[in-house]
Amino acid sequence: MNYDEKIVTHEYLKDDVLCYWQMSGDIDYIVGIHSRFLPKGQNLLIFNHGSDIEYLDATKFKCLNPKIFVVPAFATSRRINQKGKIDLFGISFIGDGLYKLMKQPISKIAGGFPDALQQKIEELNAELSVLSFSKKTKCAEKFLTGNLDRNLNSPPLQQAIKIIHQSKGIITVSEIANNVYVSERQLQRLFKTRIGISPKDYCKIIRVNNYMDFILSKDNPVDWMELVVEYNYHDQPHLINEVKSIAKLAPKKLQSYRDTLYHRFI
């Protein structure tokens, strides 16, 4: 399977869109390949110009039509099985980037994009289907700069996200709210509406991803006590259970996912 990625550097988009990416290739129709999407606190918009994807979890990704779907920010991993022709092009949104494109709460994704945007998405999908990866990125960039509304910025949310990343997720919701001068209730509403998950879950995702990156980067056995101390856990079982709650895998098992779909989306 081939994977290409381009980090977004466009001044208008770089605070809301992390990257464009493409997966392509052919996979045996009988066996297929299982992939695991682990939470990153991102929303993904994916265009599928290949074979249909099989969902291995009860909760499916939100489909806008059979070939366009959104992987929303979620609190636990999702699994898929890919077979046949693989031809996926994706846009990875950070913060409330997808909200600024949709101009409606993330919870309404299941109902599709607003009518005016839906037609544009369909037209974009048709255009992307015949382009090379480099031309797809330019096409997507033109679409986003024309439709993503940065006037919808929320300074408290942007500052909260910055604080969470700076602290590696080791911070309480009340501390975040105090630092951005909003109530905890208002902070909860901002995260749920604009990103799709609670600030507590977002902190947990960032915290777990930091030490999952550490785990995946190691070729030798992980020093668990180093992680316990670094991330202020009570003990090793507490840390391992939190990894399991996000990844649905034990930390040691995660090492087998190095260089897979999860690792590519770091």
Side-chain angles (χ1 to χ4, degrees):
M1 182 129 41
N2 300 314
Y3 179 79
D4 299 291
E5 180 182 276
K6 180 182 178 182
I7 300 297
V8 173
T9 57
H10 192 287
E11 192 63 32
Y12 187 82
L13 300 174
K14 66 180 182 179
D15 292 333
D16 298 303
V17 185
L18 175 64
C19 66
Y20 310 111
W21 53 268
Q22 177 175 271
M23 293 182 67
S24 58
D26 292 289
I27 297 175
D28 188 284
Y29 264 108
I30 298 175
V31 180
I33 291 179
H34 288 190
S35 296
R36 184 177 293 269
F37 284 83
L38 274 78
K40 291 285 186 179
Q42 300 171 10
N43 287 291
L44 309 182
L45 174 59
I46 300 177
F47 300 87
N48 181 13
H49 300 122
S51 302
D52 289 343
I53 292 174
E54 177 187 359
Y55 302 92
L56 302 177
D57 294 290
T59 304
K60 294 184 178 182
F61 303 143
K62 307 294 187 181
C63 293
L64 306 177
N65 74 28
K67 293 298 182 181
I68 307 173
F69 55 95
V70 170
V71 181
F74 44 76
T76 57
S77 69
R78 299 286 187 270
R79 297 176 304 129
I80 62 172
N81 188 48
Q82 296 168 282
K83 299 178 181 179
K85 180 185 177 183
I86 307 303
D87 188 357
L88 300 175
F89 177 77
I91 303 172
S92 294
F93 294 90
I94 49 179
D96 56 352
L98 182 61
Y99 171 85
K100 294 172 188 174
L101 177 64
M102 290 185 62
K103 303 175 182 65
Q104 65 182 25
I106 298 302
S107 61
K108 294 187 177 181
I109 288 176
F113 282 101
D115 292 341
L117 190 58
Q118 182 74 39
Q119 183 177 347
K120 293 178 181 179
I121 287 281
E122 298 283 354
E123 292 171 355
L124 174 63
N125 182 49
E127 192 172 354
L128 291 172
S129 66
V130 296
L131 299 177
S132 64
F133 176 65
S134 62
K135 290 183 178 179
K136 284 178 180 178
T137 63
K138 293 176 182 177
C139 182
E141 188 169 273
K142 181 180 178 181
F143 168 78
L144 291 172
T145 53
N147 292 282
L148 190 150
D149 188 356
R150 292 201 62 198
N151 290 324
L152 295 176
N153 274 343
S154 168
L157 179 68
Q158 301 305 320
Q159 185 62 21
I161 291 171
K162 182 178 180 180
I163 290 170
I164 292 169
H165 281 271
Q166 287 176 338
S167 69
K168 297 183 179 181
I170 311 170
I171 190 170
T172 66
V173 174
S174 61
E175 288 173 329
I176 299 167
N178 288 336
N179 275 286
V180 300
Y181 305 105
V182 298
S183 67
E184 287 187 47
R185 188 171 183 178
Q186 185 178 353
L187 189 66
Q188 295 275 1
R189 185 164 56 250
L190 281 171
F191 270 81
K192 292 290 286 185
T193 299
R194 290 172 169 260
I195 300 179
I197 54 177
S198 70
K200 182 178 179 180
D201 280 338
Y202 192 89
C203 286
K204 185 177 180 181
I205 288 167
I206 299 306
R207 187 166 62 247
V208 169
N209 270 281
N210 268 280
Y211 49 74
M212 284 199 294
D213 291 350
F214 176 84
I215 291 168
L216 287 170
S217 70
K218 303 288 282 187
D219 291 319
N220 53 329
V222 175
D223 183 344
W224 294 109
M225 287 313 299
E226 180 184 346
L227 281 172
V228 168
V229 173
E230 175 72 19
Y231 290 94
N232 199 28
Y233 278 90
H234 299 301
D235 50 34
Q236 181 178 324
H238 186 194
L239 184 151
I240 291 174
N241 286 336
E242 186 160 85
V243 172
K244 286 182 178 178
S245 72
I246 292 283
K248 296 184 180 177
L249 287 173
K252 287 185 179 179
K253 180 67 176 176
L254 268 176
Q255 289 185 297
S256 67
Y257 279 80
R258 184 185 290 110
D259 299 323
T260 64
L261 187 61
Y262 164 75
H263 211 190
R264 296 190 187 104
F265 278 110
I266 289 178

